[in-house]
Amino acid sequence: MFWGKGYKVMTETNMDEISNSVLKAYNKIAEKYVAAYEQNDLTDCKFLDDFVVLLNDNKVLDMGCGCGESISYLANFGLDIIGIDFSENMLAEASRRYPTLKFEKQNILNTSFEDKYFDGIVLTYVINHFNDMGLKSLKEEIDRLLKDGGLVFL
């Protein structure tokens, strides 16, 4: 939530307005973001190990992949993985850093993938950008994309 002078409470803000703010911010800071995390020790990614072990199969979607940290880690397990994000600049950085991996520009609330296509979905540092209505829409999209018995990593 946003608090303080000049800020609306996040629950009172339209999801389109939130999305536009987030997109503008990530497009603006993409290079600095990557520079700050270039020496990432992958501590956060290690939590994905258990997720991989529990997957029924290997089709995985990284929703809100940013500069590609999670997808690059998961690629080491031989997964059929794709990363999506709506920030062109973050995707450009991801593609530059990991040119052999698959990235697409998509809105995670309304993707172009088939129903029940993925065995697992990863969302790292993503849900904090949503209000209650946005989270409801996100859950609906995840439910549509995830195979029965599939896993979500938050």
Side-chain angles (χ1 to χ4, degrees), residues 2-65:
F2 299 105
W3 296 100
K5 188 175 182 177
Y7 290 101
K8 292 181 185 177
V9 176
M10 194 166 176
T11 56
E12 297 172 0
T13 305
N14 174 308
M15 248 338 279
D16 288 337
E17 190 177 332
I18 294 169
S19 292
N20 288 336
S21 281
V22 171
L23 177 60
K24 189 176 180 181
Y26 277 112
N27 275 337
K28 184 176 182 179
I29 67 162
E31 287 182 32
K32 290 179 183 176
Y33 185 94
V34 170
Y37 293 98
E38 195 83 54
Q39 303 303 318
N40 185 357
D41 64 4
L42 300 179
T43 300
D44 291 346
C45 289
K46 299 285 185 198
F47 292 108
L48 291 164
D49 292 354
D50 291 333
F51 170 78
V52 172
V53 169
L54 295 171
L55 284 172
N56 290 329
D57 212 339
N58 73 338
K59 285 197 181 306
V60 176
L61 176 64
D62 185 353
M63 295 178 103
C65 66

Side-chain angles (χ1 to χ4, degrees), residues 22 26-27 29-31 33-34 37 61-72 82-98 101-106 108 122-126 129:
V22 171
Y26 277 112
N27 275 337
I29 67 162
E31 287 182 32
Y33 185 94
V34 170
Y37 293 98
L61 176 64
D62 185 353
M63 295 178 103
C65 66
C67 60
E69 293 297 329
S70 296
I71 186 175
S72 69
I82 185 165
I84 63 170
D85 205 291
F86 71 161
S87 168
E88 300 91 355
N89 293 356
M90 291 297 274
L91 286 170
E93 290 294 330
S95 295
R96 178 186 64 78
R97 296 175 76 205
Y98 309 108
L101 300 179
K102 295 183 277 187
F103 298 100
E104 289 183 11
K105 183 181 187 310
Q106 291 202 42
I108 67 173
V122 173
L123 297 104
T124 53
Y125 302 105
V126 172
H129 298 301

Side-chain angles (χ1 to χ4, degrees), residues 75-137:
N76 293 320
F77 293 93
L79 299 172
D80 180 7
I81 187 164
I82 185 165
I84 63 170
D85 205 291
F86 71 161
S87 168
E88 300 91 355
N89 293 356
M90 291 297 274
L91 286 170
E93 290 294 330
S95 295
R96 178 186 64 78
R97 296 175 76 205
Y98 309 108
T100 61
L101 300 179
K102 295 183 277 187
F103 298 100
E104 289 183 11
K105 183 181 187 310
Q106 291 202 42
N107 180 336
I108 67 173
L109 297 178
N110 185 24
T111 69
S112 64
F113 301 108
E114 299 171 26
D115 293 355
K116 307 297 180 195
Y117 187 75
F118 293 99
D119 302 295
I121 295 177
V122 173
L123 297 104
T124 53
Y125 302 105
V126 172
I127 63 170
N128 54 300
H129 298 301
F130 290 88
N131 63 13
D132 291 346
M133 290 305 296
L135 288 172
K136 183 177 185 260
S137 297

